[in-house]
Amino acid sequence: MDMGRERIAKRAAQELMDGMVVNLGIGIPSLIPNFLGDKRIFFQAENGVLGIGKSPSKGKEDANLCNAAGYPVTVVSGASYFDSATAFAMIRKGLIDVTVLGGLQVSEKGDLANWMVPGKRVPGVGGGMELAQKTKKVIVVMSHVSKDNEPKIVSTCTLPLTARRCVNLIITDRAVIEVTDEGLLLTEVMAPYDVEDVVRYTAAPLRIAASLKRVE
Amino acid sequence: MVRNEYGKIISIEQAASYITDGCSLMVGGFGGVGSPPSLLQAIIEKGVRELTLICNDTAFPHLGVGPLICEGRVKKAIVSHIGSNPIAGQRLHDGTLDVEFCPQGVLVERIRAGGAGLGGILVDIGVDHEWLAAGKQVIEVDGKRFLLELPLTADVSIVYAKKADPFGNLIYDKSARNTNPLVAMAGTITIAEVEEIVPLGALDPEAIVTPGVFVHYIVQSNGVNWKWIWEESASPNGQRKN
């Protein structure tokens, strides 16, 4: 396990509060339940489950009880099953408090691109558009730079968009950045990186919060 | 003892005869979970080609609707994503598969609209999205802009359920319900593959999810003939490299 991914997931877990209804994307977001302690969160999945619990132990998997990525899950007391149209009714009606999604690019206005790389990968958008556009709070978790060391936080997304002006918070292996009406606000820097590193590898203007926290 | 009092209970071979070259086929399931394994196997064995497939996704190469894609039986797929089936991506790039992408919630609501006899639905998902909104009619209601999304129906819908009675009333199993109740409503002919056929009256009317009036035929499932993705990979929690 890449420690950067764990660290991002651990930080994102702090954003989830007791009693919230939360939808997690695949990839780094799927690690978040490992860091929630005693918090009671109702995890929703697009395939039609509200109240996803821990992963089953080996041998206890049920092929008919899976998350949206097709992996076995369990349910907590109070869980419900429903069809996918009902799952998206919850999403479009704004009943999901937080969604945590992966990202390829986020712009300074909070535009999100996370579904295709033209000429390379066209996986399709899945339920990402609805989640990004309709969830009360959208958190994007991703590495700060791409494999080619290119900034993923940019002035304007060059990749096809998932949704415009939808992202509220960006958590990377180097920083926590809020998307505000006045642009991007750097609130936390993760050691061993410093503010200069973060600014250098962010291709959009960053304001530095007066209360900037350095996280060891 | 179950009596076939409505003539809806048929063999898998009889069911497969309704799926013919060039037809539109809607399939329940989400990442292969809740897709009807025996019917899909029979369709593959029958050698049907040139299908228009409507499904949540293209599943994984070896399970759900995945083999239909991999064996080149599908000319066009209307789905929300193909990311878990790399062969679908290859076929899209080499031009042997046409894919109409639709956001997941819009796709299932279009299917629901088709099954509910509606002429279209108004959704604001992607209304300002240049790719998704392209070519679609924008309708303004009370100052808000919506895209007109058109209903989806199919010549044949195939679904997977836990139990059916001879009238075709269906109940599902946990997250294997997913798109199945919607797909069941949207077929000109709907065939339900079920784990168990129970006598009329054995299902509690309060518990029935799909009323039998939507279901034309019922087949007894032979069970899943594929290995699930989590049985093959060591990676827990659905973790994938992003």
Side-chain angles (χ1 to χ4, degrees):
Chain A
M1 180 55 59
D2 173 349
M3 290 311 288
R5 291 162 61 90
E6 297 243 310
R7 193 178 194 186
I8 295 170
K10 195 171 173 184
R11 178 61 188 81
Q14 291 173 19
E15 298 294 316
L16 307 187
M17 303 303 161
D18 209 48
M20 278 182 167
V21 177
V22 174
N23 183 299
L24 299 178
I26 62 168
I28 299 172
S30 68
L31 303 174
I32 291 172
N34 300 332
F35 301 105
L36 288 171
D38 294 336
K39 283 187 270 194
R40 280 174 50 130
I41 311 281
F42 266 89
F43 287 109
Q44 192 252 21
E46 300 94 301
N47 51 337
V49 189
L50 179 59
I52 288 179
K54 294 190 179 349
S55 299
S57 50
K58 210 163 165 43
K60 300 271 188 201
E61 298 95 344
D62 180 342
N64 288 344
L65 182 47
C66 286
N67 62 17
Y71 283 80
V73 294
T74 59
V75 288
V76 298
S77 295
S80 53
Y81 303 120
F82 36 86
D83 65 52
S84 300
T86 307
F88 280 94
M90 291 173 194
I91 294 168
R92 280 195 306 271
K93 194 160 186 265
L95 300 176
I96 310 297
D97 294 306
V98 177
T99 188
V100 188
L101 303 171
L104 295 169
Q105 283 180 331
V106 177
S107 82
E108 61 180 306
K109 292 192 169 71
D111 296 349
L112 171 65
N114 75 348
W115 71 278
M116 75 171 280
V117 182
K120 282 191 182 163
R121 269 186 344 128
V122 191
V125 73
M129 260 184 195
E130 285 94 344
L131 283 165
Q133 194 177 324
K134 295 294 190 180
T135 305
K136 287 178 201 155
K137 180 170 183 173
V138 176
I139 300 174
V140 169
V141 292
M142 61 184 187
S143 58
H144 204 88
V145 297
S146 70
K147 288 192 182 78
D148 309 324
N149 231 17
E150 293 293 322
K152 293 168 77 170
I153 303 167
V154 294
S155 291
T156 307
C157 293
T158 52
L159 294 170
L161 289 187
T162 304
R164 285 180 211 283
R165 293 175 179 268
C166 60
V167 179
N168 302 101
L169 187 69
I170 309 164
I171 301 174
T172 75
D173 51 333
R174 302 185 186 188
V176 177
I177 296 169
E178 287 176 23
V179 182
T180 72
D181 291 341
E182 289 80 42
L184 301 175
L185 180 66
L186 176 64
T187 59
E188 293 174 36
V189 175
M190 314 290 193
Y193 301 99
D194 57 24
V195 173
E196 287 67 39
D197 291 318
V198 172
V199 169
R200 188 176 316 131
Y201 287 101
T202 302
L206 267 185
R207 289 181 304 124
I208 317 293
S211 58
L212 180 75
K213 237 171 84 181
R214 185 178 161 83
V215 182
E216 295 306 324
Chain B
M1 185 62 195
V2 175
R3 290 170 53 213
N4 190 7
E5 48 215 299
Y6 297 92
K8 290 188 178 184
I9 304 169
I10 59 174
S11 69
I12 287 167
E13 292 67 33
Q14 284 173 305
S17 72
Y18 290 99
I19 295 123
T20 52
D21 287 356
C23 85
S24 54
L25 177 68
M26 200 182 283
V27 184
F30 195 114
V33 177
S35 290
S38 307
L39 285 171
L40 286 166
Q41 176 72 21
I43 293 166
I44 289 277
E45 282 168 9
K46 196 186 159 195
V48 183
R49 311 196 77 82
E50 300 281 298
L51 294 170
T52 296
L53 174 72
I54 304 165
C55 191
N56 181 68
D57 54 79
T58 51
F60 298 84
H62 63 285
L63 66 85
V65 298
L68 284 179
I69 301 282
C70 297
E71 298 204 13
R73 308 302 177 81
V74 177
K75 69 168 187 238
K76 180 178 181 181
I78 303 174
V79 291
S80 68
H81 75 89
I82 61 171
S84 53
N85 187 340
I87 311 293
Q90 282 171 26
R91 288 189 173 275
L92 173 64
H93 283 295
D94 69 21
T96 56
L97 176 68
D98 180 15
V99 179
E100 179 184 332
F101 285 110
C102 188
Q104 212 158 55
V106 177
L107 179 65
V108 289
E109 205 62 34
R110 288 176 69 194
I111 293 171
R112 206 191 74 82
L118 300 176
I121 49 169
L122 300 181
V123 292
D124 66 353
I125 299 302
V127 69
D128 60 356
H129 194 281
E130 54 190 52
W131 162 79
L132 189 70
K136 287 177 187 161
Q137 198 177 333
V138 175
I139 294 177
E140 204 170 297
V141 182
D142 287 340
K144 279 178 153 172
R145 296 167 73 245
F146 297 90
L147 294 178
L148 173 66
E149 293 279 1
L150 300 180
L152 288 170
T153 56
D155 296 325
V156 183
S157 278
I158 59 174
V159 299
Y160 183 68
K162 186 176 178 63
K163 290 181 185 180
D165 67 19
F167 186 56
N169 290 314
L170 304 179
I171 62 166
Y172 300 90
D173 189 23
K174 301 184 274 294
S175 73
R177 180 184 310 195
N178 56 60
T179 65
N180 278 298
L182 310 155
V183 169
M185 293 165 67
T188 303
I189 295 172
T190 293
I191 308 170
E193 173 177 335
V194 302
E195 232 175 276
E196 190 185 355
I197 304 174
V198 299
L200 207 63
L203 297 177
D204 176 0
E206 289 281 11
I208 288 165
V209 178
T210 296
V213 71
F214 289 110
V215 177
H216 303 84
Y217 298 109
I218 304 151
V219 302
Q220 171 68 53
S221 179
N222 297 325
V224 163
N225 61 349
W226 56 64
K227 253 194 169 14
W228 295 103
I229 190 70
W230 45 271
E231 292 177 306
E232 301 195 320
S233 105
S235 163
N237 301 329
Q239 293 159 23
R240 275 188 237 148
K241 291 206 169 75
N242 220 358

